[in-house]
Amino acid sequence: MLQASAPGKCILFGEHAVVYGQPAVAVAIEQRITVEISPSEDWRIDGMRFDPNRHPHVEALKQRLWDGGPPLSVKILGNIPPASGLGSSAALSVAAAAALRCARGRQIENDDWTEGWTASRINEVYTGIGKHRKGTSLLAGKGSVDEDECAILAHAVEAFAQGGRASPIDSSTCAHGGCIILSNKIETRYNWLYSRELNGVKWDVHSVDLPAQLDDYYLVIGNTGIKAPTAKQVEKVAKLLQENPGRMVEIEAIGKIARRGIEALMLGDMEKVGHAMSENHLLLKNLGVSCPELEQLISAAVPNSLGVKLTGAGGGGCMVALTKDPKSTSEAIELAGGRTLITRLSSSGLELDKEGNGPIWSPF
Ligand code: MEV
C-alpha cells in the first residue's frame, strides 16, 4: 500500500482575477487530503466501483500516469470539505499524482528523466497525449516523486475540470505548501519556481518565507455548507466579462489590491493585510461571486478580525477571517451558522507517507 497527502489552500488575495493573469497569494492550510492506493481485482474508490464521471480528477491522472496499468483500490481520506473553495480537488490530485508516480517508479538514463511531465512537455500534459521514451533504469519509491511534476499534473487536471480556465494557484500551493505567490512576471524578491502558460495566459509561480511575527496570527475559515463547484463560478465571471469587457478594470483592481496585500504580508504589517483582504472582498462581491450566506458569516466575523473576505471561487463555500483571537472569531462565525476551521498561515506541502515495497507496475 502507498500513501501520499497534500494540504488544502486558502487564497488570501486574487481569486478569479488570477485566471486572467493578475497576481494572487495563497497559503497551505493545516487540513489535508490523504490518498492510499493498493493493488485490487477491479478499480475501486472508497470501496465503491470507480466511476470516471464522479471522479474526473482521478480519471485524468489515470490516463497520464497509469495508462494500461493494473486495477487499483483508491482510498481518499481527509478533513478538507469538498467544493468549498479550500482546494480539496487540487490536494486530491497532487496526492494521487504522487502515489501513482511512486507506484510505477520513473525510467531514467544517466541520472536524467526519460519520462515524466516537465515544463518542456507542457502542451502534452494539458492534452494528456504524452508518449515516453524508454530509459535504461528504474528509479523507485520516494526518489521517483517530484513536487513540480505533481503540481503540473494537478494543474492539467484542474484545467480539464474547469473547461480550460484554471490558474495554477491551487495546484502549486497544494504541492509545495507554505505561501505561494503568482504574478504576471518573475519577481526577483521571491523564490521563483516556474512559469505556467495555458490558453494564452502566463503565470510566474513563486514561493516565499513569511516573516516570523505571523506566528501570532490565525486564519479562521467559515464554511457556509453550500457546495459551489469552481467551474460554474469561473464560467459566471467569464460570461460577465464577455458581455461587459469594460469590467476588466475590476479584475485589474483586484490585481492592484493583491500587490498591496503581498507587500504588507512580507513586511508583517497585518493591519494592512487585513484591510486589503476586506477591500478585495468588496470587488469580488461586485463581480457577483458572493452570496447571502457568505455575507452573513463575513458580517459576523468583522468585529473580531483584521480583515475578512470570501476565499476560493465563492457562490457558497468558504470565507476567511484574519485574526489574533481565533476563539472569538470562530464563535462569532459559528453563531451566524457557519462551520469553522482554524489554521495558521502556512503548512507543509506534499508528503509521501508510505512508499510501499517497490513499484506496483511499470509501463516499460
Ligand atoms: C479557485 O480556488 C480559484 C479561482 O481563481 C479559479 C482558479 O484560479 O483557477 C476561482
Side-chain angles (χ1 to χ4, degrees), residues 289-319:
V289 292
S290 190
C291 65
E293 293 81 356
L294 273 170
E295 291 303 315
Q296 194 170 324
L297 302 191
I298 287 170
S299 306
V302 165
N304 292 305
S305 310
L306 297 165
V308 197
K309 64 186 273 294
L310 71 79
T311 186
C318 292
M319 46 69 70

Side-chain angles (χ1 to χ4, degrees), residues 9 11 15-16 18-19 162 165-167 169-170 230 234 312-313:
K9 60 87 219 216
I11 299 182
E15 49 273 271
H16 287 293
V18 68
V19 174
Q162 285 173 216
R165 285 192 201 93
S167 81
I169 188 83
D170 291 16
T230 303
V234 169

Side-chain angles (χ1 to χ4, degrees), residues 255-322:
K256 284 194 187 117
I257 294 171
R259 279 204 181 279
R260 205 161 6 99
I262 298 166
E263 294 290 324
L265 193 65
M266 297 314 292
L267 293 171
D269 185 341
M270 300 312 273
E271 295 277 341
K272 267 201 184 141
V273 172
H275 200 257
M277 284 170 68
S278 299
E279 266 186 83
N280 189 162
H281 178 71
L282 291 179
L283 284 164
L284 288 167
K285 189 176 168 189
N286 252 351
L287 282 178
V289 292
S290 190
C291 65
E293 293 81 356
L294 273 170
E295 291 303 315
Q296 194 170 324
L297 302 191
I298 287 170
S299 306
V302 165
N304 292 305
S305 310
L306 297 165
V308 197
K309 64 186 273 294
L310 71 79
T311 186
C318 292
M319 46 69 70
V320 58
L322 175 68

Side-chain angles (χ1 to χ4, degrees), residues 18-72:
V18 68
V19 174
Y20 301 90
Q22 295 294 328
V25 190
V27 292
I29 58 174
E30 288 164 27
Q31 291 70 25
R32 301 178 75 83
I33 293 278
T34 297
V35 174
E36 264 180 29
I37 58 172
S38 46
S40 166
E41 289 195 344
D42 52 6
W43 278 95
R44 302 243 146 211
I45 289 210
D46 292 333
M48 315 271 279
R49 197 172 282 278
F50 172 58
D51 173 0
N53 296 321
R54 282 199 59 205
H55 297 282
H57 295 82
V58 177
E59 172 59 20
L61 285 171
K62 203 174 142 228
Q63 287 171 13
R64 286 161 178 78
L65 284 172
W66 208 255
D67 197 17
L72 296 171

